[in-house]
PDB file of all heavy atoms in Angstrom:
ATOM      1  N   MET T  61      -2.747   0.944  19.088  1.00  0.00           N
ATOM      2  CA  MET T  61      -1.381   1.084  19.572  1.00  0.00           C
ATOM      3  C   MET T  61      -1.138   2.541  19.949  1.00  0.00           C
ATOM      4  O   MET T  61      -1.338   3.441  19.147  1.00  0.00           O
ATOM      5  CB  MET T  61      -0.407   0.637  18.479  1.00  0.00           C
ATOM      6  CG  MET T  61       0.766  -0.115  19.010  1.00  0.00           C
ATOM      7  SD  MET T  61       1.828  -0.678  17.652  1.00  0.00           S
ATOM      8  CE  MET T  61       3.227  -1.154  18.643  1.00  0.00           C
ATOM      9  N   CYS T  64       1.241   4.929  17.815  1.00  0.00           N
ATOM     10  CA  CYS T  64       1.163   4.792  16.353  1.00  0.00           C
ATOM     11  C   CYS T  64       0.461   5.999  15.743  1.00  0.00           C
ATOM     12  O   CYS T  64      -0.691   6.299  16.067  1.00  0.00           O
ATOM     13  CB  CYS T  64       0.418   3.505  15.992  1.00  0.00           C
ATOM     14  SG  CYS T  64       0.110   3.349  14.228  1.00  0.00           S
ATOM     15  N   ILE T  65       1.149   6.682  14.849  1.00  0.00           N
ATOM     16  CA  ILE T  65       0.602   7.904  14.247  1.00  0.00           C
ATOM     17  C   ILE T  65      -0.657   7.607  13.429  1.00  0.00           C
ATOM     18  O   ILE T  65      -1.605   8.412  13.428  1.00  0.00           O
ATOM     19  CB  ILE T  65       1.681   8.618  13.397  1.00  0.00           C
ATOM     20  CG1 ILE T  65       1.174   9.979  12.919  1.00  0.00           C
ATOM     21  CG2 ILE T  65       2.127   7.766  12.228  1.00  0.00           C
ATOM     22  CD1 ILE T  65       2.233  10.826  12.260  1.00  0.00           C
ATOM     23  N   PHE T  66      -0.716   6.464  12.776  1.00  0.00           N
ATOM     24  CA  PHE T  66      -1.898   6.170  11.966  1.00  0.00           C
ATOM     25  C   PHE T  66      -3.082   5.748  12.832  1.00  0.00           C
ATOM     26  O   PHE T  66      -4.229   6.052  12.499  1.00  0.00           O
ATOM     27  CB  PHE T  66      -1.584   5.123  10.889  1.00  0.00           C
ATOM     28  CG  PHE T  66      -0.782   5.676   9.734  1.00  0.00           C
ATOM     29  CD1 PHE T  66      -0.291   4.845   8.756  1.00  0.00           C
ATOM     30  CD2 PHE T  66      -0.508   7.036   9.622  1.00  0.00           C
ATOM     31  CE1 PHE T  66       0.447   5.343   7.683  1.00  0.00           C
ATOM     32  CE2 PHE T  66       0.230   7.551   8.567  1.00  0.00           C
ATOM     33  CZ  PHE T  66       0.706   6.702   7.593  1.00  0.00           C
ATOM     34  N   CYS T  67      -2.830   5.078  13.950  1.00  0.00           N
ATOM     35  CA  CYS T  67      -3.925   4.813  14.890  1.00  0.00           C
ATOM     36  C   CYS T  67      -4.491   6.136  15.414  1.00  0.00           C
ATOM     37  O   CYS T  67      -5.716   6.269  15.575  1.00  0.00           O
ATOM     38  CB  CYS T  67      -3.439   3.950  16.049  1.00  0.00           C
ATOM     39  SG  CYS T  67      -3.277   2.191  15.647  1.00  0.00           S
ATOM     40  N   THR T 105      -7.901  -1.281  12.341  1.00  0.00           N
ATOM     41  CA  THR T 105      -7.177  -2.152  13.266  1.00  0.00           C
ATOM     42  C   THR T 105      -5.685  -1.937  13.076  1.00  0.00           C
ATOM     43  O   THR T 105      -5.212  -1.861  11.945  1.00  0.00           O
ATOM     44  CB  THR T 105      -7.509  -3.628  12.950  1.00  0.00           C
ATOM     45  OG1 THR T 105      -8.913  -3.807  13.015  1.00  0.00           O
ATOM     46  CG2 THR T 105      -6.802  -4.571  13.904  1.00  0.00           C
ATOM     47  N   HIS T 106      -4.949  -1.854  14.186  1.00  0.00           N
ATOM     48  CA  HIS T 106      -3.504  -1.722  14.046  1.00  0.00           C
ATOM     49  C   HIS T 106      -2.905  -3.022  13.535  1.00  0.00           C
ATOM     50  O   HIS T 106      -2.957  -4.049  14.206  1.00  0.00           O
ATOM     51  CB  HIS T 106      -2.825  -1.333  15.364  1.00  0.00           C
ATOM     52  CG  HIS T 106      -1.341  -1.168  15.200  1.00  0.00           C
ATOM     53  ND1 HIS T 106      -0.785   0.002  14.753  1.00  0.00           N
ATOM     54  CD2 HIS T 106      -0.324  -2.045  15.359  1.00  0.00           C
ATOM     55  CE1 HIS T 106       0.534  -0.153  14.661  1.00  0.00           C
ATOM     56  NE2 HIS T 106       0.845  -1.392  15.028  1.00  0.00           N
ATOM     57  N   VAL T 107      -2.363  -2.963  12.340  1.00  0.00           N
ATOM     58  CA  VAL T 107      -1.660  -4.088  11.728  1.00  0.00           C
ATOM     59  C   VAL T 107      -0.334  -3.533  11.231  1.00  0.00           C
ATOM     60  O   VAL T 107      -0.320  -2.543  10.495  1.00  0.00           O
ATOM     61  CB  VAL T 107      -2.464  -4.672  10.544  1.00  0.00           C
ATOM     62  CG1 VAL T 107      -1.671  -5.767   9.846  1.00  0.00           C
ATOM     63  CG2 VAL T 107      -3.804  -5.199  11.007  1.00  0.00           C
ATOM     64  N   PHE T 156       4.826   2.123  10.863  1.00  0.00           N
ATOM     65  CA  PHE T 156       4.628   0.676  10.976  1.00  0.00           C
ATOM     66  C   PHE T 156       3.193   0.329  11.360  1.00  0.00           C
ATOM     67  O   PHE T 156       2.924  -0.374  12.332  1.00  0.00           O
ATOM     68  CB  PHE T 156       5.687   0.082  11.906  1.00  0.00           C
ATOM     69  CG  PHE T 156       7.054   0.206  11.282  1.00  0.00           C
ATOM     70  CD1 PHE T 156       7.841   1.319  11.518  1.00  0.00           C
ATOM     71  CD2 PHE T 156       7.508  -0.762  10.397  1.00  0.00           C
ATOM     72  CE1 PHE T 156       9.079   1.451  10.887  1.00  0.00           C
ATOM     73  CE2 PHE T 156       8.742  -0.641   9.768  1.00  0.00           C
ATOM     74  CZ  PHE T 156       9.529   0.479  10.015  1.00  0.00           C
ATOM     75  N   HIS T 157       2.304   0.885  10.588  1.00  0.00           N
ATOM     76  CA  HIS T 157       0.877   0.551  10.552  1.00  0.00           C
ATOM     77  C   HIS T 157       0.600   0.422   9.056  1.00  0.00           C
ATOM     78  O   HIS T 157       0.807   1.398   8.306  1.00  0.00           O
ATOM     79  CB  HIS T 157       0.068   1.681  11.206  1.00  0.00           C
ATOM     80  CG  HIS T 157      -1.420   1.490  11.211  1.00  0.00           C
ATOM     81  ND1 HIS T 157      -2.193   1.695  12.345  1.00  0.00           N
ATOM     82  CD2 HIS T 157      -2.294   1.163  10.228  1.00  0.00           C
ATOM     83  CE1 HIS T 157      -3.472   1.490  12.058  1.00  0.00           C
ATOM     84  NE2 HIS T 157      -3.559   1.169  10.775  1.00  0.00           N
TER      85      HIS T 157
HETATM   86 ZN1   ZN C 424      -1.521   1.797  14.260  1.00  0.00          ZN
END
Side-chain angles (χ1 to χ4, degrees):
M61 219 177 168
C64 173
I65 187 171
F66 285 173
C67 282
T105 304
H106 181 84
V107 175
F156 293 91
H157 179 133

